[in-house]
Each structure stands twice: as structure tokens, then as C-alpha cells.
Amino acid sequence: MTGAAALLLAARVVAAPQDHDYRAALDLLYDGRAAEAQARLVALEHAHPDDPVPVYLEALALAWVVEQRPDSTAQDRALEQAADRAWTLADGRLRADPADVRARFARGAASGVRSRFALFRQRRSEAARAAAQMREDLLAARAQDPGDADVLFGLGLYDYYADVLPRFARLLRFLNGLPGGNRARGLAAIEEAARSATLHDVEARVQLYEIRAFYEHDPDGALADIEEVQRRHAGWPLWGLERAEHLRDRLGAYAESEAVARPLLRGRPDAPDPGEAARALARLSIAASLLLDLRPADVREVLLPIADGVAGFPALGAQAQVLLGHAREEQGDRRGAATHYRTAAAGADRGWRKRAEAALAHPMPAAEVKGRQLLAAARRASEARRSEEACARAREVLLAWPASREAALVLADDLLRSGDGEGVRVPEVEEAQGDEPPWLVPWSALLRAHQADLAGRRGDAVKLYKEVLTSPRRRADLRAAAAAGLQAPFTRASAPGAGRPRVRTGPTSIPTATGAAFLEVSRFSTVPSTG
């Protein structure tokens, strides 16, 4: 047999005709029908008793079930048993035939799901050992079948996380004892799996979403990933909730986040009833978007249906009470807010009880309450392109609440666009703080790029324009302005609105935005990251 013929034969070894049936069962999982997916995989295990792959997939499906209810251990044993059965069946085939590449893949995949589960339950040494076992088997499978994207997916996960995780969390530095990873190689492998894997394309796409959202600082790229998953599996509310959370918390697209979450309240006619908990999460997501968009008056109507709690989910009712308290407080009703906080503080959920106690102990300063109300008016005027009104309100914000960097950027933008940029101090927003919109970061970079161009520092300007293009935070206007700035330097003559008459409604100086006492954005978080 020629080398080329042997390679073609190897490329057919990992894949099997029944893999398409396995993939259809996984589609049920990603559609939110975990019980149906599990039943289908068990039937396929019985139909193909010598194949360890469906048994591994049973363990993978159970991992999703466990991760959606981290407080429950009811399915932990079943997950471990499925992973052990898959590993043992694959190991038996390898003992009979060490060249059995499908068994090699299945044994490595079973070790991978063992590692995932152990890490989820914080059994770190066990997770590390299983990850090393996965890598060893998948490297051998790849040597026999270099083109299999499902094998590539597991190796990509190892390469990426073994390189990246120890840098992000001290608790994960135990991974330093494992064979080294490679971030770039791992990311490329996961991207290839998302494009062409038979069994793991959705898994790879979900991993890409989390990698780009949490590790690569690429929220715009992550949005495309989660949109693709939701498009393909719209029946599971999880994907809509993840997308709404991402739009809100990492892109600051509050209205769009609300628009994504609202259909989840009524479900889909072609999908199972999502249940009260999913509808409650959608309400909490909408309320969080309204609060971050400075629209507290609209929160009450959204949350009242779940203010008394959701059966079996004490955290949801407690969170509703805390958000109702924040809404009342931002409207200036501290007494009404305290009533909601006390209700949450008396509840059974420890996490939200502590947040409620903190809100009771630390009232929002009166200056911030007034400043946020004025900032809401400035934001609404900016959205309606009423620039003079927006600037007037922004000046009022800074007089009441000098810490507002958003108001300072409103004024700096107006001054630069009018060609009156001498002495303007643009707040340098390297990272959004508290509940500031994430798009303040590229907006600040764009205005500093304009300033650099006006000062003749073209190199600095180009660098800042490129930063905006890399992560515009869902702001097409900022992307377009940065692209224009790269093509030609920003000048007073080219500034939109240069030379237009301006109505002075207050001082032109912009107070330095320091000493902000912002609330943590995590107070609005509703959807945990999936493992």
C-alpha cells in the first residue's frame, strides 16, 4: 500500500457512518432537549455496542446538564459512570488492536470530559491528570488521522487552556506541571473544528465564544460566535440569554440586549415550553439592561411578576428584589429601595442576601442619583442626535457628579467636532468601571486619536484608530470614524460640524473624571458562564 493510500484509509478510520446519527442526537442537546438527547444516545449505544463514541457523548451531554445546575449533584455519578464506561470500552478495543484510531480518539475524548467535570467541581489535580491523558491519546490519534477535526478540537482545547489559564487564575497554576500548550495553535485548531468537525462543531463554537469574550478581549468576535449558535439552536433559551448578557455586559448594547431577551418571555411555538425559570431569567436580563441604560422607571413592570419568587429557584426572586431596589434608588426613592433590599436580605439565597445587605449599608450618594438622572437625559438626547441638548445635560451632569466619564466624553466629542479642541481633556478610558458602558473605551480612544492628529502626532493617532477598529464594541459609528481616520488625518476642516454655530449653555471646561464610586456591573449579572 502506498503512503498516500494509507493516509486516505486512515482518514476514514475515525469517522463512522453512525456519526451522523450521533450528531443528530447532539442537536437535541443544543436545542435544550437534554433528556431526549440522552435517550437517543442510549439507544445508539445499544445499536452499536462495540463503539465507545456514543457512550462518551452521553457523558458530554450529562456535563451540560450538570453545568446548568451547579448547585445540584444529582447527575454527577451518572456522568462519571458514562465517562468511565466510554474509557473502558475504548481501552478494551485498544488492547485488542493498538492501531484502532477510533478507540484512541474515544478514550482521549472520555478523558477530556473527565477533566472538564473535575475542573468544574474544583478537583484540580484530577482534572490535570485527565487532561494529560486526553492529550496523549489525541496526539496519537492525530498522527494516524491528521485531518480529523474532532481530534483537532480536543488538542486545541488543551493547547489553548494549558497556555492561557495559568496566567489568569492563580488557582489554575497547577496546569504548569503539564506538557506545555500553545495559545495561537490552540485557537486556530478550535476555529478549524468549529468550521468542519462532525461531532464537535457546536462545542467548538461555544468555546470560541467564551475564549473571545473572557480571554481574548474580543467581544465583537464573540458576539458573532454566540449569534451563530443561537441561529442554529434557537429552541434553547440559554443561547438567547447568553447573547443578551453579552450584548449588555461586554458591548453595552442595552436596547439590543433587551430586544433579544423579550421574545424569551413567550417562548417559541416550535420548541418545548422553556419553563418559569427561563422566563424569570429573561425578565432579570431585561431589567438589568434597563438599569444599565438608565431607564429605571421601566424596571418595575418587568420584574413585578417574579418579585414574590420562582418556585425552586430562590436566587431569582432575591435578584428581582435587589434590582427593584436599585431602580427605586436611582429614581431617588431610598425608602422604597430599602424595602426591596430588606426583602432580599431576609431570603435564603446567600449571594443575593450579601448584595442586598451591602446596598442597605451603602446608599447611593445623592450627587450620583442626580447625576445619573441627568446622564439619562443626555444619553437619550445623544441617541436622538440632539447634540446641543446632550451637551447641555452633560454639563449639568458634571456639575452634579464630576466622576461621570461618559458626560465628559460627550463634551469632549462636541468640542473636537466643532473644531474647538484646544485644551480639551479627553478622559483616558482603558477599561469601563462599574456600570459604565463598555463602548466608552473605543470612544475615548477615537477622541484621543483625533487629538493626536490635531497635534501632529500621526503615529499615536494611527495606533489609537487601530485600537478602535479592533474592538468597536458594536458601535458602527466609531468603527467608521476610525477607518476614516486611518485613511486621512483628522483636521479641524474635516471634523463633522466644523465651523457650525454652537450654543454655549455652560462652562466649556471639562472637570477631571476621578474618584468615581461606581457600583459593580456584576450586580446585574443573570446568566453564569457555561463550562
Side-chain angles (χ1 to χ4, degrees):
M1 181 182 296
T2 66
L7 184 61
L8 288 172
L9 178 60
R12 292 194 295 267
V13 173
V14 169
Q18 62 265 31
D19 284 350
H20 294 290
D21 294 330
Y22 301 162
R23 184 64 184 79
L26 286 177
D27 279 337
L28 294 173
L29 172 67
Y30 304 128
D31 284 337
R33 303 183 181 194
E36 295 177 51
Q38 197 68 24
R40 181 61 181 146
L41 288 167
V42 169
L44 288 166
E45 176 189 355
H46 293 157
H48 305 282
D50 295 329
D51 189 356
V53 171
V55 194
Y56 149 67
L57 295 176
E58 290 174 43
L60 177 63
L62 284 166
W64 276 91
V65 172
V66 167
E67 289 164 2
Q68 299 314 302
R69 291 297 302 268
D71 54 327
S72 171
T73 60
Q75 296 291 334
D76 285 19
R77 185 60 185 148
L79 191 166
E80 291 176 311
Q81 289 175 338
D84 289 347
R85 287 202 326 276
W87 197 96
T88 301
L89 180 56
D91 186 63
R93 282 180 48 163
L94 282 169
R95 289 177 185 276
D97 178 8
D100 186 340
V101 66
R102 185 172 178 84
R104 185 76 63 184
F105 159 71
R107 194 173 74 174
S111 295
V113 81
R114 280 174 168 177
S115 179
R116 170 174 171 167
F117 172 67
L119 189 57
F120 182 74
R121 291 302 188 204
Q122 299 187 28
R123 304 201 297 255
R124 300 182 183 94
S125 297
E126 181 183 336
R129 287 194 300 271
Q133 292 168 353
M134 177 193 74
R135 176 180 180 271
E136 181 179 352
D137 274 331
L138 294 185
L139 282 173
R142 188 184 181 196
Q144 293 174 266
D145 186 357
D148 189 274
D150 288 290
V151 172
L152 194 63
F153 173 58
L155 290 172
L157 287 178
Y158 182 94
D159 260 339
Y160 185 84
Y161 285 114
D163 190 5
V164 169
L165 281 182
R167 307 180 200 170
F168 279 84
R170 293 178 61 187
L171 292 176
L172 297 175
R173 287 179 186 164
F174 67 89
L175 292 170
N176 283 331
L178 296 176
N182 183 293
R183 170 187 161 275
R185 184 175 63 203
L187 185 56
I190 298 169
E191 289 172 340
E192 177 58 31
R195 287 190 294 268
S196 56
T198 300
L199 298 173
H200 295 95
D201 56 332
V202 176
E203 289 287 327
R205 186 65 62 186
V206 173
Q207 284 293 329
L208 283 176
Y209 161 65
E210 297 201 348
I211 284 169
R212 287 174 174 141
F214 298 105
Y215 299 105
E216 294 296 311
H217 306 294
D218 181 13
D220 296 278
L223 179 62
D225 292 318
I226 197 63
E227 285 178 336
E228 173 64 13
V229 176
Q230 189 190 18
R231 183 190 67 79
R232 293 172 58 180
H233 298 285
W236 195 3
L238 173 69
W239 307 126
L241 290 167
E242 288 277 6
R243 181 180 165 202
E245 178 200 32
H246 185 73
L247 284 163
R248 179 184 70 244
D249 293 347
R250 287 175 284 281
L251 291 168
Y254 305 126
E256 191 175 355
S257 175
E258 178 188 353
V260 168
R262 281 203 178 270
L264 303 177
L265 296 178
R266 57 182 182 271
R268 291 169 54 94
D270 59 342
D273 181 8
E276 287 303 312
R279 280 190 284 270
L281 284 170
R283 290 186 179 279
L284 292 166
S285 179
I286 293 166
S289 293
L290 292 171
L291 282 169
L292 288 168
D293 203 22
L294 305 175
R295 295 160 59 196
D298 298 333
V299 168
R300 184 175 177 80
E301 180 182 357
V302 173
L303 289 185
L304 276 182
I306 59 170
D308 293 332
V310 180
F313 298 88
L316 303 186
Q319 185 175 355
Q321 289 292 338
V322 171
L323 297 186
L324 284 165
H326 287 316
R328 296 290 287 271
E329 190 162 18
E330 291 185 16
Q331 291 176 283
D333 182 6
R334 175 63 187 176
R335 180 176 297 179
T339 299
H340 290 295
Y341 294 147
R342 281 194 289 269
T343 300
D349 184 79
R350 182 173 178 271
W352 286 101
R353 185 169 67 243
K354 293 181 68 174
R355 297 187 191 202
E357 291 169 350
L360 282 169
H362 303 285
M364 184 180 293
E368 182 176 347
V369 172
K370 181 178 180 181
R372 292 173 71 86
Q373 292 171 353
L374 292 166
L375 183 61
R379 195 182 287 179
R380 301 290 87 82
S382 291
E383 292 166 350
R385 300 182 183 277
R386 299 193 302 269
S387 60
E388 292 178 359
E389 179 185 346
C391 290
R393 298 291 82 78
R395 290 187 179 91
E396 292 173 359
V397 171
L398 291 171
L399 290 173
W401 185 34
S404 175
R405 297 194 291 185
E406 182 177 348
L409 287 171
V410 170
L411 292 182
D413 196 347
D414 183 70
L415 289 168
L416 288 166
R417 286 173 179 271
S418 70
D420 185 16
E422 293 292 338
V424 175
R425 287 190 296 180
V426 179
E428 188 170 333
V429 185
E430 297 294 340
E431 184 177 1
Q433 299 173 358
D435 56 5
E436 287 182 322
W439 38 258
L440 294 191
V441 175
W443 191 13
S444 168
L446 177 70
L447 299 186
R448 286 182 284 127
H450 288 344
Q451 275 195 320
D453 265 340
L454 291 174
R457 294 183 284 108
R458 182 58 179 166
D460 293 340
V462 167
K463 181 179 178 181
L464 288 164
Y465 288 135
K466 288 180 178 178
E467 285 183 16
V468 178
L469 286 176
T470 300
S471 186
R473 300 299 205 283
R474 199 63 170 172
R475 288 286 299 268
D477 57 330
L478 300 181
R479 182 189 291 274
L486 283 174
Q487 289 182 347
F490 180 87
T491 66
R492 287 180 175 80
S494 67
R500 62 177 169 82
R502 302 180 66 250
V503 178
R504 300 287 187 180
T505 56
T508 59
S509 62
I510 302 173
T512 303
T514 57
F518 294 107
L519 299 173
E520 290 186 3
V521 75
S522 60
R523 68 183 185 177
F524 299 139
S525 179
T526 61
V527 186
S529 167
T530 54

